[in-house]
Amino acid sequence: MMKAKHIAEAVNAVYIGDKELDFTGIATDSRSIKEGELFVALVGDKFDGHNYCKEAVEHGAAGVLVSKSVFGLGERTAVFTVQDTLLAYQQVAMAYRRQFTKLKVFGVTGSNGKTSTKDLLAVCLGSKYNVLKTMGNFNNEIGLPKTLLEISSSTDIAVVEMGMRGIGQIASLCDIAEPDSGLITNVGESHMELLGSIENIAMAKSEMVLNLPADGYAVLNGDDKYVLKIADLTKAKVILFGMDENCDYRGSNIVPSVTGVSFICTEKATGCSVPAKLQLIGTHNVYNALSAIAGAACYGVPIEDSAKALATARLTGSRQEIIYIGDITFINDAYNASPASMEAALRTLAEIKKAAKNGGRTIAVLADMLEFGSVSESAHRRVGKWVVDTGTDFILTYGKEASYISDEAAKFGGYTKHCASRYEAADILRSFVEAGDIILLKGSRIMQVDKILELFK
């Protein structure tokens, strides 16, 4: 994968060992280390990788990258010593990415839908290229290097997801990945607690397009006013997707169903229109699909080929996953939550009920949306109104912040119950659920709303 001397140069390390040593890979988890790999001893608030260096060597690591002395590793173990192991890990990934001169890197960010969009973009590009994508949501300062270090000589395009918690973080990720093109799904209220305003969130997301080269592409949501403002900041060629007639890739004739959603995609430049069908529920997924079609078209994938590829696309787990337990339908959308994704999920719940036509009731089990700071109460109250506006038959909530959802829903006539925990919510579900009911599970990941499935079973 990389020679020791190249790693030492990339990270400016004090190195002890064979400079011609070839490492088979780089890992940060001693439990999954493979023979011949380099173990990077990352340090966090609650862990210190230096405590696991010996274990990593025992499991086959050929070397370790550390920021302090570690003893008992054996004379044959290569040792790189640096000031900051995380920075060094990122520098190694950057140097490794640069080895592949023909490789294209496509960055994806946004307040909502970035992981789903990453999955769909990889599917569309995969109809023509060998594509590597971020696995799961490894989209931060540790996950991004992990993805880049999976690049191989056969990789044509790497689709990398980029998350952020503050100003400057996407810029830092761009320094590591050096994206050729970028995609912004939307700008919403996620991370409001840390950034304070929608304008600041938009500024943070804009770091993606600010770092694109002039010969790259900026694929942007043409229906989002904050994203449209970002379009003026990039040197790259701007490609818009959305429902507006000015968009380069426009969606229309959207028809949701119990098993997915169909729509028409029109390419403005050619006037070509193609039908597309997703095996993904919810009309909001049309935006994700349009952005994927637009991104793939930038690299020569015909929209007809993207439409065919999307027909079999699947998303990362716990994102609007349909699960049947007997005659009861669960929509497991518990991966994360924001006001925008809550609204989309509730509208999807209503769409499925309408399409099912079996008289089943809709039940929403909703938990806290986190990291919204001073706007948390108002954000949760908006969800409380939406849950009634979308015709949800019964609302169960749990969590301190989610109590505002129940409170607001009750004001608008909703049939709601706030629970002390997910265990109580599961007990209530068991007590009154009926055949044909459709149950939405939604909340921030730390609230573990998806665990209700296990409790319900």
Side-chain angles (χ1 to χ4, degrees):
M1 182 184 183
M2 287 186 78
K3 286 188 180 295
K5 63 181 180 181
H6 297 146
I7 294 175
E9 291 170 2
V11 303
N12 193 28
V14 174
Y15 178 64
I16 300 174
D18 179 4
K19 290 186 177 181
E20 295 303 316
L21 177 63
D22 271 313
F23 290 99
T24 59
I26 298 176
T28 60
D29 188 338
S30 62
R31 296 166 298 181
S32 59
I33 203 84
K34 295 182 178 65
E35 192 74 28
E37 289 188 330
L38 172 66
F39 174 67
V40 180
L42 297 179
V43 179
D45 294 334
K46 298 181 180 179
F47 68 91
D48 186 344
H50 294 84
N51 297 330
Y52 302 96
C53 287
K54 186 176 180 181
E55 177 185 335
V57 172
E58 290 172 351
H59 289 170
V64 295
L65 192 155
V66 297
S67 59
K68 58 186 178 184
S69 297
V70 178
F71 301 98
L73 299 180
E75 293 182 0
R76 298 183 63 184
T77 303
V79 179
F80 300 83
T81 304
V82 297
Q83 291 290 321
D84 183 332
T85 54
L86 175 57
L87 175 61
Y89 182 48
Q90 295 167 346
Q91 290 171 331
V92 172
M94 185 190 315
Y96 183 69
R97 179 255 188 269
R98 288 178 175 173
Q99 289 182 2
F100 302 92
T101 56
K102 294 182 179 180
L103 174 79
K104 298 296 182 183
V105 175
F106 209 133
V108 178
T109 193
S111 295
N112 299 289
K114 55 184 173 290
T115 302
S116 299
T117 296
K118 172 262 301 181
D119 289 339
L120 299 182
L121 177 57
V123 165
C124 292
L125 287 168
S127 67
K128 183 174 181 178
Y129 300 101
N130 188 352
V131 177
L132 170 71
K133 69 172 182 176
T134 300
M135 297 307 296
N137 74 322
F138 292 137
N139 61 16
N140 62 9
E141 65 275 12
I142 298 174
L144 177 66
K146 178 179 175 63
T147 299
L148 295 177
L149 290 166
E150 295 294 327
I151 294 168
S152 71
S153 58
S154 64
T155 306
D156 298 313
I157 300 177
V159 178
V160 296
E161 182 180 339
M162 295 184 181
M164 63 88 191
R165 296 180 301 278
I167 298 293
Q169 291 183 342
I170 288 180
S172 295
L173 295 178
C174 286
D175 287 342
I176 299 167
E178 298 181 338
D180 300 279
S181 295
L183 190 158
I184 301 179
T185 60
N186 47 51
V187 170
E189 294 173 311
S190 297
H191 307 299
M192 182 71 81
E193 180 179 15
L194 298 170
L195 289 166
S197 70
I198 290 286
E199 288 75 17
N200 284 345
I201 294 170
M203 184 185 303
K205 299 299 183 186
S206 72
E207 292 168 10
M208 167 75 78
V209 301
L210 283 168
N211 283 277
L212 297 178
D215 61 350
Y217 298 91
V219 182
L220 306 176
N221 187 332
D223 294 346
D224 186 313
K225 64 180 182 180
Y226 294 103
V227 178
L228 277 177
K229 289 180 181 178
I230 291 172
D232 296 330
L233 304 177
T234 185
K235 302 186 295 287
K237 182 178 180 180
V238 173
I239 303 295
L240 300 179
F241 65 90
M243 308 301 166
D244 190 274
E245 290 187 358
N246 292 322
C247 290
D248 299 289
Y249 293 86
R250 180 170 60 88
S252 61
N253 297 77
I254 300 169
V255 180
S257 73
V258 178
T259 58
V261 59
S262 62
F263 64 99
I264 301 295
C265 173
T266 300
E267 187 175 48
K268 185 177 180 181
T270 63
C272 177
S273 292
V274 299
K277 181 173 177 58
L278 299 172
Q279 293 186 50
L280 309 172
I281 58 173
T283 56
H284 64 282
N285 272 314
V286 174
Y287 273 98
N288 299 335
L290 285 171
S291 68
I293 292 171
C298 293
Y299 288 92
V301 179
I303 62 174
E304 297 89 346
D305 292 354
S306 285
K308 290 177 184 176
L310 289 171
T312 59
R314 294 289 185 273
L315 300 182
T316 298
S318 297
R319 283 178 171 80
Q320 296 198 318
E321 179 184 18
I322 300 293
I323 297 170
Y324 298 99
I325 299 179
D327 294 325
I328 303 163
T329 302
F330 282 87
I331 305 172
N332 182 18
D333 198 13
Y335 193 84
N336 222 327
S338 66
S341 67
M342 279 281 196
E343 183 180 15
L346 291 166
R347 294 192 184 284
T348 298
L349 184 63
E351 290 169 4
I352 289 181
K353 178 180 180 179
K354 183 178 179 181
K357 299 178 182 178
N358 62 359
R361 302 171 301 176
T362 50
I363 303 166
V365 183
L366 309 177
D368 291 358
M369 302 180 292
L370 301 178
E371 297 185 351
F372 286 89
S374 61
V375 302
S376 183
E377 179 178 344
S378 62
H380 284 83
R381 288 192 179 279
R382 289 207 306 277
V383 173
K385 184 176 185 302
W386 291 334
V387 79
V388 176
D389 288 347
T390 53
T392 306
D393 295 306
F394 191 81
I395 307 111
L396 289 174
T397 61
Y398 71 89
K400 179 182 177 182
E401 302 301 309
S403 64
Y404 297 122
I405 297 176
S406 269
D407 184 59
E408 197 71 10
K411 288 181 182 179
F412 287 90
Y415 186 26
T416 182
K417 167 72 175 175
H418 185 67
C419 305
S421 67
R422 68 173 182 271
Y423 300 99
E424 182 184 357
D427 287 340
I428 292 174
L429 272 180
R430 279 193 292 261
S431 70
F432 78 89
V433 73
E434 298 175 355
D437 285 349
I438 307 165
I439 303 170
L440 169 67
L441 305 175
K442 184 74 174 169
S444 284
R445 191 172 9 169
I446 198 171
M447 300 302 293
Q448 298 185 312
V449 192
D450 55 334
K451 297 295 185 183
I452 284 178
L453 282 167
E454 299 173 14
L455 298 171
F456 192 83
K457 291 176 183 177

